[in-house]
Amino acid sequence: MSTQQILPELSPASQALVAMHGGVPSGDADWLAALRADALARFGQTGLPTPKLEDWKYTDLKALNGANLVRPVDAPAANFGGQAGHRLCFADGRYVAAASKVDDLPGGVTFLSLSEAFMDMPDVLRSHLETADAGALADLNAAYLDGGAVIIVDGAEVTLALEFLATGEGSQMSAFHPRNIVIVKNGAQLTLLESQGGGGVYFANHVTSIAVEDGGRLNHVKAFNHSSEAFHTSLTQVHIGADGYYGSAVLDTDGKLLRNEIRIELAGEGAETSLAGAYLARGGRHTDHTTRIDHLAANTTSRQIFRGALDGKARAVFQGNIVVAEGADGSDGRLANNTIMLSEGCEIDTKPQLEIYADEVKCAHGSTVGELDDEALFYLRSRGVPETQARAMLVEGFVATVFDEFDSLEGVQQLRDGIADWLAGLEPGA
Amino acid sequence: MLEVKNLSASVDGKEILKGLDLAMGSGEVHAIMGPNGSGKSTLSYVLAGRDGYEVTGGSVTYMGKDLLAMNAETRAAEGVFLAFQYPVEIPGVSSMNFLKTAFNSVRAAKGEEPMDAMDFLKFVREKTKTLDISDEMLKRAVNVGFSGGEKKRNEMLQMAVLNPVLAILDETDSGLDVDALRIVGEGVTGLRTPNNSMLVITHYQRLLDYIVPDFVHVLSGGRIVKSGGKDLALELEANGYAEYSAEAA
């Protein structure tokens, strides 16, 4: 007797995302064609994540069902901000060679677009592109692989920039799926400055796969300033070898719905990570920062601090999970999430978690939610600072400290300026 | 300069000030002394414009204007300054940034251009010398991790920078050791001019060794129950507040 498997009914958005796939590009190598086809098949089984999944309990992509999802049009016009130095630029996820700068790279630095890398180094990419265990959005990303960067730093110390711009126009929502692959070899150091933004309606589904090998160091500075009509999902997966380090400083100030998910594997002894995030939301925006850190080896360290301020009817989600595997003794994990509510109508769901299977560990987590301190507000006003400006100063002081540890890095001042820019739009309090 | 008439005010529905009268002229230093719970801090908050302090009767005229009609930042722009008994910690905001923002806010309210960063730094350094405040302290977040003495010196620095017409010093001597008291006392005295008035609110006489008042008032039960010259402070130091508490009750 055979049982017939009943597939979950796919949402309209999920169906559209499957249907718009034009099949495997003709130029693909067999392995790549198979990888894409498998990923699409998996996505066809699951569809987009829904709140039925534990990890997606507080963030619902159902608003995509009402969108007219399309593939991005060719050669969109984009005005790139022009990051100084070496950079790769992408419009709607597709590489724009004319705006990029990749000449005169230092020795030991590979920095090229994904489409070029498919031809140049298929063997390197293969394992990094696999998404079998990474969830539906990663599968969706693998099925399309619209563009992105491949970065390999070997025996060098370098700063590189990635700029993603989207140019949604009209009522159609272009959906695109960039993929970055970053490998920091033994002892190398990379500062990666990534900016994402755009105008209009679009759905940007990014995946970045990072390997920091033994003793390597990567600092990843990300500025999300998406269109207020945009949906953005981002998954960053990081594997860190012995004594390696990954630092992440993220600023998130706009986008109708944003999910920034970071998964870290501290796989080698002495591996370390530090994640800092600031989220600012007003109007009806929804922002979600979700992290998972696996301490897989002994004497590994993780630090996380995410702070935000919410105004209007904004909603924020923070989910932070520290998992210490059996045998990962001497692990040290800390996690803090602090949110200021500036209005009656805003909402935060915060869920810090610890799962500990090792014997000797130091782990701590905590989250706070509160309003601005009345006394501090009066103190500033009594010195002549107008109320709205006083509130902005207090929020800035509260939120921007998450970046203190990263101050020496290029690009961090830009994050601080981004906080000030957002606060310049603060409305007088009720 | 300041005329408080029959002022009544309540906090959380409880009446604290009950018909307080006080008149101050330009350049005068008045001390208000009184036992705990007499309404000293309430008076200072009401004059500075803190939300939650409800004026239930009377009037306050400052430089010919209705002070009670102004919000806190407008009062500051008009030259009212409150030195806090417990200066507030503001994480993430450097003392220097705080000073500059306050100073330029007051200028903006008067329709003046902001002072540029270099000029302001020079201006502040002139003020910090006498108050024993280091550049390092200016870089730290406002009052965060400051000792009691540092917090009060920081208040005096703000006062020096904002150069108020009416400075209200709320228990500025509390939490200070003898040396800190001397620095703060001399700092305040150095800020005295023929045009600036000070209202020194204190429980003890010792601050008045440095800031010599022209008038001393006893506050008890939400009213001024006795006024006199500086000798009244010494008398209170010797005899305590017992007779005034009894009078109020």
Side-chain angles (χ1 to χ4, degrees):
Chain A
M1 200 174 93
S2 70
T3 53
Q4 192 183 354
Q5 193 186 359
I6 298 168
L7 297 179
E9 201 173 309
L10 291 185
S11 66
S14 301
Q15 287 178 32
L17 288 162
V18 172
M20 71 173 70
H21 199 277
V24 170
S26 55
D28 272 7
D30 289 348
W31 67 268
L32 183 55
L35 184 140
R36 283 185 201 264
D38 289 350
L40 185 66
R42 282 194 302 271
F43 181 77
Q45 301 273 321
T46 59
L48 290 166
T50 71
K52 285 179 189 162
L53 297 168
E54 179 73 21
D55 265 6
W56 287 84
K57 189 173 170 190
Y58 305 105
T59 295
D60 197 338
L61 296 172
K62 72 179 178 205
L64 284 172
N65 290 324
N68 182 8
L69 287 159
V70 294
R71 293 293 291 150
V73 292
D74 283 338
N79 291 313
F80 291 93
Q83 296 265 14
H86 295 106
R87 63 189 176 268
L88 292 178
C89 295
F90 302 88
D92 289 354
R94 294 174 188 187
Y95 179 51
V96 181
S100 304
K101 183 185 182 318
V102 289
D103 55 344
D104 298 327
L105 285 164
V109 177
T110 303
F111 188 45
L112 73 177
S113 79
L114 185 65
S115 46
E116 293 168 300
F118 283 144
M119 289 175 277
D120 290 4
M121 50 184 68
D123 295 339
V124 177
L125 298 191
R126 215 166 154 166
S127 62
H128 290 281
L129 287 171
E130 190 50 63
T131 55
D133 301 314
L137 285 168
D139 282 335
L140 181 64
N141 178 284
Y144 285 96
L145 293 175
D146 280 318
V150 173
I151 301 170
I152 302 169
V153 183
D154 190 356
E157 187 181 333
V158 69
T159 297
L160 303 170
L162 301 178
E163 193 170 348
F164 290 90
L165 254 190
T167 54
E169 275 177 31
S171 61
Q172 293 190 323
M173 178 182 277
S174 61
F176 53 89
H177 312 273
R179 171 70 67 94
N180 304 308
I181 292 169
V182 182
I183 301 167
V184 179
K185 295 278 191 185
N186 190 339
Q189 292 193 32
L190 169 63
T191 299
L192 182 60
L193 310 177
E194 182 175 353
S195 70
Q196 297 183 16
V201 186
Y202 56 89
F203 170 35
N205 173 38
H206 288 240
V207 175
T208 298
S209 305
I210 295 173
V212 179
E213 297 184 358
D214 295 355
R217 289 183 72 82
L218 168 54
N219 274 297
H220 194 174
V221 180
K222 282 190 276 191
F224 293 128
N225 189 17
H226 285 283
S227 148
S228 55
E229 304 289 313
F231 287 70
H232 170 68
T233 54
S234 166
L235 170 65
T236 303
Q237 292 182 291
V238 187
H239 183 94
I240 309 175
D243 298 318
Y245 168 84
Y246 173 76
S248 168
V250 182
L251 173 66
D252 150 33
T253 56
D254 212 343
K256 186 184 178 76
L257 182 147
L258 180 142
R259 160 106 163 185
N260 172 44
E261 183 167 351
I262 302 175
R263 298 181 197 153
I264 309 271
E265 290 177 342
L266 297 165
E269 184 161 0
E272 201 177 323
T273 191
S274 181
L275 311 180
Y279 48 92
L280 298 164
R282 61 167 62 100
R285 82 175 290 244
H286 179 111
T287 179
D288 173 339
H289 292 265
T290 293
T291 67
R292 178 187 166 112
I293 296 187
D294 282 285
H295 288 258
L296 301 173
N299 302 317
T300 47
T301 305
S302 66
R303 294 285 177 269
Q304 299 180 71
I305 180 160
F306 284 78
R307 285 189 168 189
L310 307 176
D311 204 354
K313 289 187 159 56
R315 184 170 176 194
V317 177
F318 176 79
Q319 306 182 100
N321 199 0
I322 301 173
V323 184
V324 182
E326 196 180 337
D329 293 329
S331 288
D332 179 350
R334 289 194 205 155
L335 159 64
N337 174 230
N338 315 98
T339 307
I340 285 185
M341 318 278 272
L342 296 170
S343 66
E344 296 273 319
C346 60
E347 183 180 332
I348 168 87
D349 293 288
T350 176
K351 197 172 88 171
Q353 280 183 287
L354 291 176
E355 286 177 42
I356 298 174
Y357 304 99
D359 295 329
E360 285 178 43
V361 300
K362 276 195 291 185
C363 284
H365 68 64
S367 68
T368 62
V369 178
E371 294 173 7
L372 280 182
D373 178 0
D374 274 347
E375 241 189 321
L377 197 58
F378 173 61
Y379 192 56
L380 287 170
R381 294 177 66 194
S382 78
R383 299 301 180 248
V385 183
E387 184 181 4
T388 304
Q389 195 184 347
R391 294 167 81 228
M393 275 181 91
L394 293 178
V395 172
E396 185 170 3
F398 174 79
V399 171
T401 51
V402 301
F403 298 130
D404 287 354
E405 185 191 324
F406 295 91
D407 260 342
S408 62
L409 296 176
E410 281 177 60
V412 170
Q413 186 56 43
Q414 207 181 324
L415 302 188
R416 292 185 178 277
D417 293 347
I419 294 173
D421 287 348
W422 188 87
L423 288 166
L426 202 64
E427 302 279 338
Chain B
M1 203 270 321
L2 183 77
E3 186 153 26
V4 180
K5 275 189 181 165
N6 198 25
L7 181 68
S8 296
S10 58
V11 183
D12 295 331
K14 189 175 177 232
E15 192 168 50
I16 309 286
L17 299 183
K18 301 169 181 173
L20 185 141
D21 292 295
L22 177 71
M24 288 176 68
S26 285
E28 293 176 357
V29 173
H30 290 237
I32 291 199
M33 303 183 71
N36 292 327
S38 60
K40 298 195 299 289
S41 285
T42 299
L43 175 63
S44 65
Y45 282 142
V46 167
L47 292 178
R50 182 162 187 180
D51 291 344
Y53 287 74
E54 195 192 350
V55 175
T56 52
S59 64
V60 180
T61 309
Y62 165 75
M63 305 293 282
K65 295 177 186 171
D66 178 4
L67 186 72
L68 300 176
M70 303 175 195
N71 63 25
E73 53 266 43
T74 306
R75 295 181 199 201
E78 295 280 343
V80 176
F81 179 90
L82 169 64
F84 282 54
Q85 181 179 4
Y86 303 108
V88 184
E89 298 186 3
I90 305 188
V93 176
S94 78
S95 291
M96 193 64 188
N97 180 25
F98 172 69
L99 279 173
K100 194 168 68 187
T101 306
F103 181 77
N104 284 328
S105 294
V106 168
R107 280 174 78 114
K110 292 177 184 163
E112 295 169 9
E113 292 293 309
M115 190 184 277
D116 82 57
M118 282 311 295
D119 289 346
F120 186 74
L121 185 63
K122 273 189 226 156
F123 172 69
V124 168
R125 284 205 173 125
E126 281 168 28
K127 312 287 182 193
T128 51
K129 276 184 222 150
T130 49
L131 288 165
D132 188 23
I133 288 174
S134 63
D135 280 5
E136 189 272 331
M137 206 168 126
L138 292 173
K139 285 180 194 154
R140 280 152 64 187
V142 179
N143 294 325
V144 177
F146 284 25
S147 69
E150 285 174 328
K151 284 182 180 175
K152 294 299 169 80
R153 288 195 330 253
N154 199 28
E155 293 292 289
M156 295 307 107
L157 174 61
Q158 291 164 39
M159 183 168 148
V161 165
L162 295 173
N163 189 26
V165 177
L166 170 63
I168 303 157
L169 277 58
D170 185 7
E171 308 255 0
T172 292
D173 52 338
S174 72
L176 295 186
D177 61 26
V178 178
D179 291 332
L181 185 70
R182 183 180 49 78
I183 292 171
V184 167
E186 287 172 355
V188 173
T189 305
L191 297 174
R192 244 183 118 162
T193 74
N195 303 316
N196 294 5
S197 305
M198 291 184 192
L199 185 61
V200 182
I201 294 172
T202 182
H203 189 87
Y204 302 105
Q205 193 274 335
R206 56 182 197 163
L207 183 62
L208 304 179
D209 288 341
Y210 298 96
I211 313 169
V212 181
D214 300 305
F215 300 94
V216 174
H217 311 276
V218 180
L219 179 63
S220 182
R223 290 185 300 122
I224 303 287
V225 294
K226 183 166 185 179
S227 297
K230 63 174 190 263
D231 294 343
L232 178 56
L234 297 168
E235 197 181 298
L236 288 167
E237 186 77 359
N239 301 334
Y241 293 106
E243 70 174 286
Y244 301 104
S245 302
E247 196 173 305

